[in-house]
Amino acid sequence: MFTTRPTLQGTFGMVSSTHWLASQSAMAVLEAGGNAFDAAVAGAFVLHVAEPHLNGPAGEVPVLLAPAGGEVRVLCGQGVAPAGATIAHYRGLGLDLVPGTGPLAAAVPGAFDAWMLLLRDHGTKSLDEVLKYAVHYAEHGHAPVERVGETVESVRELFETEWTSSAAVYLPGGKAPAPGALLRNPALAATWKRLLAEVSGSGDREARIEAAREVWRSGFIAEALVRQARRPTLDTSGQRHTGTLAAGDLASWSATYETPATYEWNGWTVCKPGPWSQGPVLLQQLALLPAELPRYGSAEYVHLLIEGCKLAMADREAWYGDAAEVPLEALLCDEYNAVRRALVGDEASHELRPGAPGGRVPRLSGHARVVTTGDPGFDPPGAGEPTVARSRSSRAPGEPGVAADGTTRGDTCHLDVVDRWGNMVAATPSGGWLQSNPVVPELGFPLGTRLQVAWLEEGLPGSLTPGRRPRTTLSPSIALRDGVPVLAFGTPGGDQQDQWQLHFFLAAALRPAVRGGLDLQGAIDAPNWHNDGFPSSFHPRRMRPGSVTVESRMDVGVVEGLRRRGHDVTVADAWSEGRLCAVARDPGTGVLSAAANPRGMQGYAVGR
């Protein structure tokens, strides 16, 4: 079949990411003798520079890692709610939702510490060797993609009148970043240079990484982050608020390793982060599939996946989170999913139908059934990660936009690496967007806004709770065959991540192989879709019952078949659904593969 690019194949190393600078920087580390984990860290810090509208150092990241010959692990770089982030505090401010921007939405930053742990425990390179690429691009500049400038223009008035430290970085001389011109962030370069200077005399490689973690937690970086959190800042509530992040929150938190959630399907073992993320949604969708699937790509096939997604997402709303025990084993068991599968009929459901695993009674937030209004093609859902690239402008899928009330939304990045030794990593960095909070003037990057996914209601798994993680949408994947890691993949896209990843995984698993390996590029390029029939994870938390958005490349007969089944179908641009990345390794031959999303024309795979 036609693909936009070939699936790359080689034996030395492969990288796929959402920006070519990150992909090539990671590849440079592999060429210099580093392993997949060294490369991932280098690429991640370049993503902070090249995609500042999509992620930043004070954001968060879940990482799935598969060391050669070892067990797949989850490295959780999702920070917790600060000690002062209580429901009573937010309610006392007159809020019924956590704002989508500003310091009240800031969790403890998690990304930096997670990358440091990955480098310390699994890498081989020194901190300065992996940071030098990001330092170079921040200091000397890079040519930004169009979407950086478009994002800055969308918040120009806010930057010029309120978030002036952001204007200093992203509106130098009053001009937004432009393609072909160089965008520099000297404050960020200075931050990393100072960090490296402060830890240079701390001992060996591991000791210097540990010292860097301490600088982040309690040194000049921590001090600047706390000062910023205490500055009154205009947010999406229309009011100026100070945040709750304190020195003790930063000093006491660290990233952690965990066992992944897994599900066995047709000889594959799919690994995901646990239910503090939305990762198990992909596993539930697999568990809901019947033994015999309809023909790939048919209206019946797409209908089945849409309806299964709605059921899994309803369970996400009722059961996932870090503030209560999640009955994940019951949610993934055959008996439960047989009952749930029977709910999928010939007609599209317009209801939110959480299940009752083990006889438990589901409970939803009072906001969970709020329906959005307006044209689904042009009404962005508000601040935070998007649930759809709604505008049919030149903006790429998942790129930031502006809602009618002036609030902004951000998105996410992704990075996959596999090396010649068989090490594999998948990571989905996000948060700390340039449009999420004002740039910390001393550091060159802003705080994140992940607390906006927490509910201001007591007794829910996703309730705002000090010391607990807000339930994130970030959801990288690793899949094994016969117990051996074969495939690492993921995508930006908020609530779409585990829809698009399911479609990709099934395409790769069900369709004929190419050149002896998985057809990664064909699976990425295949016409994609998503639905919004469940509450958005992001402010203002609305849903669109019965909605389905498809790419115009989808067969007309399939679109009509969906409409006959009662789906409210929006036909979007031909290349508007998904920003997938993937790498693979054939354990029998050692051949490595990679592919990247052509949508938005900035994701690239490299390798040899």
Side-chain angles (χ1 to χ4, degrees):
M1 64 169 290
F2 168 80
T3 60
T4 58
R5 309 163 180 175
T7 295
L8 305 184
Q9 290 190 316
T11 57
F12 182 83
M14 291 283 166
V15 182
S16 178
S17 87
T18 49
H19 197 286
W20 62 81
L21 291 180
S23 296
Q24 187 53 45
S25 297
M27 191 68 203
V29 173
L30 294 180
E31 296 284 3
N35 65 20
F37 310 113
D38 297 311
V41 177
F45 279 87
V46 171
L47 285 173
H48 297 158
V49 181
E51 296 192 310
H53 58 315
L54 306 179
N55 79 136
E60 47 274 325
V61 60
V63 182
L64 278 175
L65 58 142
E71 298 293 323
V72 177
R73 300 288 285 167
V74 176
L75 177 53
C76 174
Q78 173 56 64
V80 299
T86 64
I87 290 175
H89 175 67
Y90 287 68
R91 289 288 189 177
L93 297 172
L95 300 170
D96 59 359
L97 289 173
V98 178
T101 61
L104 274 179
V108 177
F112 181 88
D113 197 62
W115 292 121
M116 292 302 99
L117 278 187
L118 186 66
L119 184 64
R120 183 196 72 183
D121 297 340
H122 299 279
T124 64
K125 294 292 186 179
S126 65
L127 184 57
D128 58 324
E129 286 177 305
V130 297
L131 275 182
K132 67 181 182 181
Y133 306 94
V135 171
H136 172 84
Y137 288 121
E139 183 174 21
H140 299 289
H142 72 284
V145 295
E146 289 86 346
R147 283 82 194 178
V148 177
E150 290 171 3
T151 302
V152 173
E153 285 293 355
S154 75
V155 288
R156 171 184 285 274
E157 183 178 358
L158 177 67
F159 280 14
E160 291 178 334
T161 60
E162 295 281 346
W163 296 9
T164 54
S165 61
S166 298
V169 175
Y170 293 108
L171 285 169
K175 295 182 179 179
L182 290 177
L183 171 61
R184 296 178 175 89
N185 190 338
L188 178 59
T191 295
W192 297 144
K193 284 185 170 184
R194 179 177 173 183
L195 173 74
L196 291 171
E198 289 195 7
V199 306
S200 62
S202 299
D204 62 10
R205 189 188 79 92
E206 289 79 9
R208 292 194 298 275
I209 294 170
E210 277 300 295
R213 296 178 71 204
E214 287 307 310
V215 171
W216 181 274
R217 289 174 176 162
S218 57
F220 79 93
I221 293 177
E223 292 167 358
L225 292 172
V226 171
R227 280 196 300 272
Q228 184 64 44
R230 297 304 183 184
R231 292 183 176 119
T233 301
L234 183 68
D235 59 36
T236 55
S237 71
Q239 304 295 317
R240 292 177 181 84
H241 292 115
T242 57
T244 61
L245 184 67
D249 300 311
L250 283 160
S252 62
W253 186 84
S254 67
T256 53
Y257 291 102
E258 301 176 0
T259 301
T262 62
Y263 187 76
E264 305 286 335
W265 181 82
N266 277 17
W268 292 87
T269 302
V270 182
C271 303
K272 300 291 287 184
W276 52 267
S277 76
Q278 74 173 15
V281 162
L282 177 57
L283 309 183
Q284 281 197 255
Q285 290 177 94
L286 290 172
L288 285 163
L289 294 176
E292 295 293 329
L293 287 173
R295 178 175 56 84
Y296 174 84
S298 65
E300 185 181 3
Y301 174 87
V302 176
H303 169 76
L304 177 71
L305 267 56
I306 292 169
E307 295 304 298
C309 173
K310 292 175 186 176
L311 294 173
M313 285 295 198
D315 278 343
R316 182 195 75 170
E317 289 306 305
W319 301 110
Y320 289 23
D322 199 35
E325 184 178 349
V326 179
L328 187 58
E329 183 177 350
L331 288 167
L332 295 177
C333 77
D334 292 341
E335 294 79 11
Y336 175 75
N337 285 289
V339 173
R340 298 286 278 162
R341 192 180 303 118
L343 296 176
V344 177
D346 295 332
E347 296 293 318
S349 169
H350 290 236
E351 301 175 37
L352 190 65
R353 299 181 290 179
R360 300 168 179 84
V361 178
R363 183 184 165 199
L364 297 168
S365 164
H367 282 272
R369 299 183 190 277
V370 176
V371 176
T372 193
T373 58
D375 180 350
F378 297 92
D379 182 22
E385 284 181 44
T387 52
V388 60
R390 298 185 187 279
S391 172
R392 296 193 184 98
S393 69
S394 62
R395 192 169 71 244
E399 292 287 350
V402 182
D405 63 359
T407 59
T408 63
R409 56 197 178 109
D411 195 14
T412 301
C413 308
H414 189 79
L415 175 71
D416 298 311
V417 188
V418 61
D419 64 29
R420 62 191 185 274
W421 301 288
N423 299 302
M424 187 176 287
V425 60
T428 309
S430 186
W433 311 301
L434 67 85
Q435 66 277 25
S436 64
N437 258 302
V439 165
V440 184
E442 307 94 318
L443 302 179
F445 58 85
L447 287 163
T449 55
R450 191 61 55 173
L451 288 188
Q452 67 178 286
V453 307
W455 295 112
L456 296 182
E457 299 170 50
E458 300 285 358
L460 300 171
S463 296
L464 179 66
T465 307
R468 295 288 184 171
R469 295 166 288 192
R471 196 267 304 147
T472 179
T473 55
L474 307 177
S475 183
S477 303
I478 285 181
L480 294 73
R481 292 284 286 184
D482 301 320
V484 179
V486 169
L487 176 64
F489 60 101
T491 180
D495 294 312
Q496 276 77 259
Q497 288 185 29
D498 286 300
Q499 300 186 59
W500 293 333
Q501 288 186 72
L502 175 73
H503 309 160
F504 162 81
F505 174 70
L506 291 177
L510 295 174
R511 298 197 312 180
V514 293
R515 296 199 302 274
L518 295 168
D519 183 10
L520 301 183
Q521 194 64 53
I524 288 174
D525 287 356
N528 217 328
W529 69 92
H530 82 274
N531 85 90
D532 293 302
F534 49 85
S536 168
S537 294
F538 300 94
H539 190 280
R541 313 300 301 267
R542 298 170 184 152
M543 65 176 178
R544 297 183 185 275
S547 70
V548 177
T549 302
V550 305
E551 291 181 327
S552 61
R553 294 181 297 124
M554 184 173 282
D555 184 86
V556 172
V558 174
V559 174
E560 291 307 312
L562 293 175
R563 286 175 170 153
R564 285 195 300 272
R565 288 168 170 83
H567 296 280
D568 180 9
V569 180
T570 297
V571 178
D573 286 347
W575 297 92
S576 57
E577 291 283 315
R579 290 179 67 208
L580 285 145
C581 302
V583 299
R585 179 178 183 271
D586 185 326
T589 64
V591 171
L592 312 177
S593 303
N597 172 56
R599 300 164 178 89
M601 295 191 294
Q602 68 186 66
Y604 273 88
V606 295
R608 68 173 178 89

